């Protein structure tokens, strides 16, 4: 087990070597002496051990846990990151290291207790731009993007050239490296796949401190391992992102349903529409995302700003009458073509009650920034920096009706939630099985996101999340967690299923001393001693 004294010794040796004097951890034995070739004086000035720095790096968006690091690195180059990892790798007692982007994890996944947190945003301070857009369509449009960059900054840079990434998360104030280490999903994923399916090339600093360029053709194992790899094999410092031509406008609609079966059938129909017209816009809708609404949640949910005050009354009355209603959110992107006829044609085939369609027409940027607009409203009310006991699940299509009966109409009836509850389907064939990400073993599966916020204690919501997981296990629903959080080795084996052996082998190859992303709590000495352990799928 890593001790605080070891990291304190590491920092002190750096400082003494550079001719500086600093008093850290009085009384700690200075037992670890690092190789002199790793003691770079330039790195010393970028490491902070003061309480202001370590406290800021000790928690995350979830606000459910706290893990105080011994130090924080503010790198000005990728070489700084590599040097730090090399120092840990070469030490007699390696210390844990976590890369922190926007800190949007929920259960401390990006934290490093008694270790070093790398503040990735510090890379933005370099002179050279960390977002470079290629406007040559041969072989394809792309943007080379620093792993520390926020997706909103990528959007703004690409729009200057009339281009855009094709796959998004709902919230754009997340880092490129962070979402690619998970998957990166939203209502566009049914068509384009998750963000990890839209990457051509990566630069990665492995757990050995090696800077490696990898792609589908070069260093394939690292490339596919890092995508969806939860930060276990390397830190993404550059990604080559797929781009397409950017639309200018979005026709944005919300349809209300009182019948869950009609709601899911319509969603599954919409994500089954494939292909593109050669001279026109994409067939079908470009974005499909569903959610659950109760009378209580409508008033507390920032997403309700889509509806007018007059609409609120009608929707609340419908929710009060039926208890739970469902909202299907769809969007059509366009620039030069009229979308009225296409939208009307698509709506004609759906089964929502007459009169419960609500429509807006907004710019492409405003649509993609819809969650940020909600964030700004919540911040003014002091409701953003609160605990977020979120639970995100992938549910097989064959069991989504059981989940609705047991959870939406069962367990969730006990508590009114403040925050969206999302439910929408995706196509498995859009996910590359060579990546580390795992999904249910069905061609269509649903994302269920219980994105709850707690303003008066969060423990009861965590208890509710455990009840939901217990219900799924007892009912035999073979779910997968997205943004997973487990506490035992057996749970991680079950999560990765048939990919577990491959995951362990990649850990041994690329981070053999288990330095990276300790906050995920995946690997223990026992886990690495069992490379042949079989997980269920």
């Amino acid at each position: 087990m890593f001790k605080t004294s070891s990291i304190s010794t590491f920092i002190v040796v750096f400082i003494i070597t550079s001719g500086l004097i600093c008093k850290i951890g009085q009384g700690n034995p200075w037992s670890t002496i690092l190789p002199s070739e790793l003691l770079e004086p330039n790195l010393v000035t970028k490491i902070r051990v003061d309480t202001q720095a370590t406290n800021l790096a000790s928690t995350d968006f979830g606000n459910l846990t706290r893990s105080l690091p011994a130090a924080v690195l503010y790198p000005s180059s990728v070489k700084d990151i590599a040097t730090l990892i090399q120092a840990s790798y070469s030490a007699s007692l390696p210390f844990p290291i976590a890369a922190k982007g926007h800190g949007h994890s929920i259960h401390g996944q990006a934290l490093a207790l008694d270790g070093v947190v790398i503040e990735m945003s510090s890379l933005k301070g370099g002179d050279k731009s960390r977002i470079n857009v290629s406007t040559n369509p041969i072989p394809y449009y792309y943007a080379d993007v620093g792993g520390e960059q926020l997706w909103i900054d990528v959007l703004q840079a690409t729009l200057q050239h009339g281009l855009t990434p094709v796959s998004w998360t709902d919230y754009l104030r997340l880092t490129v490296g962070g979402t690619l280490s998970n998957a990166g999903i939203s209502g566009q994923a049914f068509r384009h796949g998750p963000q990890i399916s839209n990457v051509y090339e990566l630069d990665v600093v492995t757990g050995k401190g090696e800077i490696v360029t990898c792609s589908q053709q070069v260093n394939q194992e690292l490339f596919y391992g890092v995508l969806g790899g939860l930060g276990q094999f390397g830190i993404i410092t550059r990604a080559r992102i797929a781009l397409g031509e950017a639309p200018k406008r979005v026709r944005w609609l919300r349809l209300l349903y009182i019948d869950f079966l009609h709601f899911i059938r319509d969603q599954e129909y919409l994500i089954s529409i494939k292909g593109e017209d050669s001279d026109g816009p994409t067939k079908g809708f470009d974005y499909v995302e569903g959610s659950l609404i109760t009378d209580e949640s409508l008033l507390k949910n920032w997403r309700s700003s889509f509806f007018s005050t007059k609409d609120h009354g009608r929707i609340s009355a419908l929710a009060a009458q039926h208890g739970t209603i469902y909202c299907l959110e769809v969007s059509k992107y366009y620039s030069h073509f009229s979308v009225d006829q296409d939208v009307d044609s698509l709506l004609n085939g759906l089964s929502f009650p007459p009169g419960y369609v609500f429509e807006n027409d907004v710019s492409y940027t405003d649509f993609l920034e819809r969650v940020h607009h909600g964030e700004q409203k919540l911040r003014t009310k002091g409701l953003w920096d609160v605990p977020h006991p979120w639970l995100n699940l992938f549910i097989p299509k064959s069991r989504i009706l059981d989940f609705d009966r047991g959870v939406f109409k069962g367990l969730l009836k006990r508590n009114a939630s403040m925050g969206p509850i999302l439910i929408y389907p995706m196509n498995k064939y859009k996910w590359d099985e060579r990546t580390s990400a795992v999904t249910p073993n069905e061609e269509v599966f649903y994302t269920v996101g219980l994105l709850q916020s707690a303003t008066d204690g969060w423990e009861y919501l965590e208890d509710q999340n455990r009840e939901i997981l217990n219900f799924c296990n007892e009912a035999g629903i073979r779910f997968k967690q997205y943004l997973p959080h487990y506490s035992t080795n057996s749970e991680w084996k079950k999560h990765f299923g048939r990919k577990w052996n491959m995951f362990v082998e990649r850990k041994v190859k690329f981070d053999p001393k288990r330095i990276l992303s300790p906050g995920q709590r995946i690997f223990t000495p026992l886990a690495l001693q069992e490379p042949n352990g079989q997980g269920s799928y």
Side-chain angles (χ1 to χ4, degrees):
M1 180 69 70
F2 168 77
K3 303 294 184 184
T4 305
S5 60
S6 299
I7 186 60
S8 298
T9 301
F10 157 68
I11 297 168
V12 166
V13 173
F14 264 135
I15 294 171
I16 293 175
T17 302
S18 62
L20 300 174
I21 298 175
C22 185
K23 211 169 189 179
I24 306 171
Q26 290 187 0
N28 286 334
W30 312 126
S31 57
T32 302
I33 304 299
L34 300 178
S36 59
E37 63 267 24
L38 295 180
L39 303 179
E40 261 197 31
N42 288 337
L43 197 58
V44 179
T45 60
K46 301 166 187 174
I47 292 177
R48 288 176 57 182
V49 296
D50 57 280
T51 55
Q52 181 182 14
T54 56
N55 281 332
L56 285 173
S58 68
T59 189
D60 56 18
F61 178 72
N63 272 318
L64 306 176
T65 186
R66 187 171 184 267
S67 295
L68 191 68
V72 181
L73 173 69
Y74 296 84
S76 59
S77 68
V78 173
K79 184 181 177 182
D80 291 342
I81 297 172
T83 300
L84 177 72
I85 296 175
Q86 289 165 9
S88 178
Y89 186 75
S90 300
S92 59
L93 192 59
F95 49 85
I97 296 172
K100 176 179 172 288
H102 194 57
H104 210 72
S105 58
I106 306 302
H107 291 98
Q109 289 95 330
L111 307 182
L113 179 65
D114 293 335
V116 180
V117 169
I118 302 173
E119 184 56 64
M120 296 294 290
S121 62
S122 183
L123 289 173
K124 292 182 179 180
D127 295 331
K128 184 179 179 181
S129 170
R130 297 274 293 164
I131 303 177
N132 295 289
V133 181
S134 172
T135 59
N136 187 346
I138 302 173
Y140 42 70
Y141 296 119
Y142 68 84
D144 278 328
V145 179
E148 78 289 346
Q149 295 292 324
L150 300 180
W151 282 102
I152 179 60
D153 297 324
V154 177
L155 173 65
Q156 291 171 348
T158 57
L159 284 179
Q160 294 179 22
H161 305 278
L163 301 171
T164 176
V166 296
S167 186
W168 294 103
T169 56
D170 283 325
Y171 183 52
L172 271 56
R173 262 95 179 148
L174 303 176
T175 61
V176 170
T179 64
L180 295 182
S181 295
N182 289 280
I185 60 172
S186 78
Q188 290 96 352
F190 80 93
R191 183 176 300 283
H192 298 287
Q195 290 180 317
I196 58 174
S197 293
N198 294 276
V199 181
Y200 297 124
E201 187 176 279
L202 299 170
D203 283 345
V204 175
V205 184
T206 72
K208 298 178 182 180
E210 300 168 335
I211 303 174
V212 181
T213 298
C214 53
S215 66
Q216 296 180 18
Q217 293 77 35
V218 179
N219 297 311
Q220 294 177 324
E221 187 176 12
L222 181 61
F223 178 76
Y224 290 115
V226 167
L227 293 173
L230 306 178
Q232 292 301 306
F233 314 119
I235 296 174
I236 297 172
T237 58
R238 179 186 65 89
R240 180 164 290 182
I241 304 298
L243 303 179
E245 295 184 6
K248 290 184 170 56
R249 303 290 300 176
V250 177
R251 186 67 53 84
W252 183 12
L253 305 98
R254 289 183 180 175
L255 325 172
L256 300 188
Y257 291 74
I258 58 177
D259 183 272
F260 186 72
L261 187 58
H262 289 162
F263 170 68
I264 61 171
R265 282 179 176 173
D266 282 358
Q267 288 198 77
E268 290 166 14
Y269 161 69
L270 291 176
I271 73 164
S272 72
I273 302 173
K274 302 176 183 178
E276 296 185 355
D277 293 321
S278 58
D279 298 318
T282 305
K283 291 181 179 178
F285 287 113
D286 298 286
Y287 169 94
V288 175
E289 193 168 289
S291 60
L292 179 150
I293 295 178
T294 65
D295 184 26
E296 191 77 17
S297 68
L298 178 66
L299 300 177
K300 294 182 177 181
N301 193 334
W302 59 263
R303 291 163 60 93
S304 64
S305 60
F306 179 95
F307 303 107
S308 69
T309 303
K310 181 180 179 181
D311 293 336
H312 274 216
R314 292 180 61 214
I315 298 169
S316 293
L318 191 68
Q321 179 182 357
H322 296 278
T324 298
I325 58 176
Y326 308 92
C327 176
L328 174 53
E329 189 169 10
V330 293
S331 294
K332 185 78 172 174
Y333 302 159
Y334 70 100
S335 292
H336 308 296
F337 295 90
S338 171
V339 296
D340 293 345
Q341 185 174 349
D342 291 337
V343 168
D344 290 343
S345 176
L346 288 166
L347 294 182
N348 285 337
L350 304 183
S351 302
F352 60 93
Y356 285 96
V357 55
F358 305 87
E359 184 173 328
N360 277 326
D361 199 277
V362 297
S363 71
Y364 181 61
T365 301
D366 280 346
F367 175 72
L368 293 179
E369 278 279 77
R370 61 197 181 280
V371 176
H372 179 58
H373 297 156
E375 173 191 354
Q376 293 173 314
K377 294 177 182 178
L378 292 177
R379 284 191 181 278
T380 62
K381 300 177 181 179
L383 297 176
W384 184 257
D385 295 317
V386 299
H388 297 95
W390 288 6
L391 179 65
N392 292 275
L393 302 174
F394 292 157
I395 304 293
K397 169 187 170 180
S398 64
R399 302 304 304 273
I400 197 63
L401 288 172
D402 297 323
F403 190 90
D404 174 61
R405 284 190 291 265
V407 177
F408 294 151
K409 294 185 174 72
L411 295 173
L412 291 186
K413 297 287 283 187
R414 305 178 192 175
N415 297 304
S417 169
M418 191 187 82
I421 298 177
L422 305 180
I423 173 170
Y424 59 94
M426 289 183 284
N427 293 309
K428 188 178 180 70
Y429 77 93
K430 291 293 185 178
W431 292 65
D432 194 321
E433 283 296 296
R434 293 170 292 184
T435 69
S436 293
V438 291
T439 60
N441 196 24
E442 291 190 9
E443 289 307 308
V444 172
F445 60 91
Y446 277 80
T447 291
V448 176
L450 290 91
L451 310 185
Q452 304 177 104
S453 301
T455 56
D456 187 21
W458 53 267
E459 290 82 1
Y460 77 98
L461 289 172
E462 280 285 85
D463 290 341
Q464 181 176 266
N465 289 342
R466 282 189 286 271
E467 289 181 355
I468 292 170
L469 296 177
N470 288 337
F471 164 78
C472 290
N473 285 323
E474 292 171 4
I477 298 176
R478 304 184 101 178
F479 67 91
K480 297 293 182 184
Q481 278 196 42
Y482 179 60
L483 310 177
H485 169 64
Y486 298 106
S487 58
T488 68
N489 180 245
S490 61
E491 288 174 315
W492 280 112
K493 285 184 179 180
K494 181 179 179 182
H495 172 76
F496 283 106
R498 63 189 180 193
K499 290 188 177 183
W500 173 249
N501 284 349
M502 178 179 66
F503 201 82
V504 172
E505 290 166 1
R506 287 172 172 173
K507 185 68 171 180
V508 172
K509 184 172 183 179
F510 299 114
D511 184 23
K513 296 189 178 181
R514 306 186 298 281
I515 292 169
L516 300 177
S517 295
Q520 295 283 0
R521 293 184 290 182
I522 299 175
F523 288 102
T524 64
L526 177 62
L528 290 187
Q529 289 168 11
E530 297 179 348
N532 294 320
Q534 296 295 321
S536 62
Y537 198 80

